[in-house]
Amino acid sequence: MRVLNFGSLNLDYVYSVDHMVTPGETLASYSMNTFCGGKGLNQSIALAKAGVEVFHAGLIGEEGDLLLDTCKKGGVQVDYIRRVPGKSGHTIIQVDRNGQNCILLYGGANQSVTKEYVDEVLAHFEKGDLLLLQNEVNLLDYVIDRAYEKGMMIVLNPSPYNEKLEACDFGKISMFLLNEIEGAQVTGEEEPEKILEILKAKYPHAKVVLTLGKDGSIYQDQGKICRQGIYPVKTVDTTAAGDTFTGYFLSSIIRGMSVEAGLRLAAKASSIAVSRKGAAPSIPEREEVEQALKGD
Ligand code: RIB
């Protein structure tokens, strides 16, 4: 089984602030860093660091060399990444003293996906291969339809949630990985149990991993439910914690681990990511995660 992640690559411009800037306020930041990120890139790097061979497809702009190099150095297969005219995707991220963030996203090259490019990439994959998607590239509905026709297993992290997802046929998704905010946006319910109930009723064949911040995560597959708590750490920067969880949990499924062990691995990996600055640079290697689990 080959693994394809069709997703965004962003330059993250990260500003450390006392508090999130409010309307009309001018706020001085006390440090600024540029990191590689994008939900797509982060999840590919998490998969690769977890030991999975992953092919990334996505678009970078004229100044996207750092994104490409970061993927290569992170062990991601980059043959299907293309460069297009214009700017790469980027974000402006504020991180406050509690490590919480808020993110302003500019899609840039990530929004220039064409049907021809999708067809060209998918031609290299076949029935039984796994496709991972987030919602930071355009034509997601087209990618889902074509991949489903081929018989690929489609895993969706519907993040960030917006109206474009309404064009997608969620009945074609084999697994959803989402947080409680996205869960509420998809189902209209706030309570985790209700979110899971609605997802099960609407998409009975889909597995679901619902992450709940400090309350951990819940896995649901038809009648089966597994729960996992968090590993508390001092929060430095939550950016990419969810992406780390997604990549690591998916790696556990691909490697045939039990759901319980996979949730544990993912929770530990994301706790390490939260204790470090930046998106891609905060994602730990598998060996470090396994060592840390042994210490618990
Ligand atoms: O999930 C974190 C990511 O979201 C950041 O790296 C940023 O680029 C945004 O896409």
Side-chain angles (χ1 to χ4, degrees):
M1 179 181 67
R2 302 213 310 160
V3 179
L4 170 66
N5 181 8
F6 208 126
S8 60
L9 305 101
N10 292 334
L11 290 164
D12 289 345
Y13 301 120
V14 183
Y15 299 83
S16 302
V17 290
D18 252 334
H19 60 269
M20 305 306 177
V21 68
T22 53
E25 182 184 17
T26 300
L27 179 68
S29 61
Y30 55 85
S31 76
M32 189 272 167
N33 289 289
T34 303
F35 295 115
C36 286
K39 294 181 198 303
L41 178 148
N42 296 338
Q43 292 178 21
S44 280
I45 293 208
L47 275 164
K49 289 197 172 175
V52 170
E53 181 178 53
V54 54
F55 293 83
H56 191 97
L59 301 173
I60 54 173
E62 285 145 8
E63 81 296 38
D65 288 345
L66 186 61
L67 296 166
L68 195 59
D69 288 351
T70 298
C71 285
K72 282 185 195 159
K73 285 190 189 128
V76 175
Q77 300 290 335
V78 299
D79 296 357
Y80 309 130
I81 296 177
R82 299 279 178 271
R83 195 184 297 267
V84 293
K87 283 190 176 303
S88 292
H90 77 246
T91 60
I92 292 181
I93 303 184
Q94 299 174 57
V95 178
D96 71 12
R97 291 205 182 268
N98 300 318
Q100 300 303 317
N101 67 25
C102 61
I103 302 179
L104 177 65
L105 175 64
Y106 170 72
N110 297 310
Q111 294 297 317
S112 300
V113 172
T114 62
K115 291 184 176 176
E116 292 69 32
Y117 173 53
V118 175
D119 293 344
E120 178 201 322
V121 172
L122 291 184
H124 298 277
F125 294 85
E126 57 185 26
K127 187 175 164 67
D129 288 343
L130 187 147
L131 172 66
L132 171 61
L133 298 169
Q134 314 76 29
N135 187 30
E136 285 188 340
V137 299
N138 64 313
L139 288 186
L140 206 62
D141 53 335
Y142 184 78
V143 181
I144 291 172
D145 290 347
R146 295 290 84 78
Y148 186 80
E149 270 169 24
K150 293 184 86 97
M152 292 177 79
M153 173 186 166
I154 307 171
V155 176
L156 176 65
N157 169 219
S159 179
Y161 187 88
N162 60 31
E163 70 296 340
K164 288 190 184 167
L165 285 170
E166 280 153 29
C168 299
D169 183 353
F170 280 6
K172 295 175 177 169
I173 305 302
S174 299
M175 184 188 287
F176 295 96
L177 287 122
L178 70 182
N179 66 26
E180 75 271 42
I181 298 167
E182 292 138 11
Q185 289 164 321
V186 172
T187 63
E189 294 289 344
E190 302 280 325
E191 288 300 310
E193 310 302 334
K194 283 270 179 205
I195 293 171
L196 290 170
E197 201 180 299
I198 299 223
L199 288 172
K200 185 161 71 174
K202 283 174 102 170
Y203 314 110
H205 302 296
K207 300 169 178 49
V208 178
V209 182
L210 181 64
T211 56
L212 304 167
K214 63 177 178 25
D215 293 328
S217 54
I218 310 178
Y219 170 90
Q220 169 176 274
D221 181 8
Q222 294 172 10
K224 180 180 164 120
I225 292 273
C226 296
R227 291 171 195 273
Q228 171 67 47
I230 58 158
Y231 292 96
V233 286
K234 180 175 165 10
T235 303
V236 171
D237 181 353
T238 56
T239 313
D243 299 329
T244 304
F245 189 101
T246 295
Y248 265 86
F249 183 73
L250 214 49
S251 81
S252 75
I253 300 286
I254 293 163
R255 296 164 70 113
M257 290 167 65
S258 70
V259 168
E260 290 80 359
L263 288 176
R264 245 190 332 270
L265 185 77
K268 180 54 87 176
S270 65
S271 76
I272 296 173
V274 159
S275 70
R276 293 180 179 155
K277 280 188 176 181
S282 72
I283 302 170
E285 297 282 349
R286 185 181 185 96
E287 207 185 311
E288 182 184 359
V289 182
E290 285 175 346
Q291 274 305 115
L293 273 175
K294 278 186 201 153
D296 287 320

